[in-house]
Amino acid sequence: MTIKKPSRSSEKQSKQVDIERVINAGSPPPITEEVDDTPKEVRFQMAIPEQLCNLIDDARKLTKTSRRAWLLTAAQEKLQREGRL
C-alpha cells in the first residue's frame, strides 16, 4: 500500500484564498467625487512701514492675536463697512 502526501496545490489555493480575503477586507477606496467646500488660501508677501507695523502690534496685543489674524479681521471689518461683504 502506498501513502501519498497531500498535494501542495491545495495548500497554495487555501493560502491564496486567505490572502485575497485579507486584501479585500480593507476599507473601500475613497470616493473621488467629493466636493471640497473649504475656501482656498492665496499666499503672498507684504511689506509695510515699520511705524504702521508697530501700531498694529500695539493694537493686537490687547486681543492677544497674531498679526495674520488681526489683519484678516481688520480687512473683513473694512469690507463690511463698505458693503462688499
Side-chain angles (χ1 to χ4, degrees):
M1 181 170 160
T2 337
I3 300 176
K4 293 185 177 179
K5 291 183 181 179
S7 67
R8 290 188 179 246
S9 63
S10 64
E11 287 179 27
K12 286 182 182 179
Q13 286 177 344
S14 66
K15 286 183 182 180
Q16 186 64 29
V17 169
D18 289 341
I19 291 171
E20 291 295 324
R21 187 173 38 84
V22 170
I23 290 173
N24 294 329
S27 59
I31 299 172
T32 57
E33 296 178 11
E34 290 183 17
V35 178
D36 187 12
D37 292 337
T38 57
K40 295 181 180 177
E41 289 188 350
V42 177
R43 295 177 176 261
F44 63 93
Q45 289 183 336
M46 183 174 67
I48 60 173
E50 183 180 3
Q51 186 178 2
L52 180 59
C53 183
N54 291 337
L55 291 171
I56 291 170
D57 285 344
D58 290 342
R60 72 182 181 85
K61 285 179 185 174
L62 299 174
T63 58
K64 296 181 181 178
T65 59
S66 65
R67 282 184 189 151
R68 178 187 182 277
W70 193 92
L71 288 170
L72 284 173
T73 303
Q76 286 175 340
E77 288 175 1
K78 178 163 176 57
L79 290 170
Q80 284 175 345
R81 280 196 310 269
E82 292 178 357
R84 296 184 185 184
L85 246 185

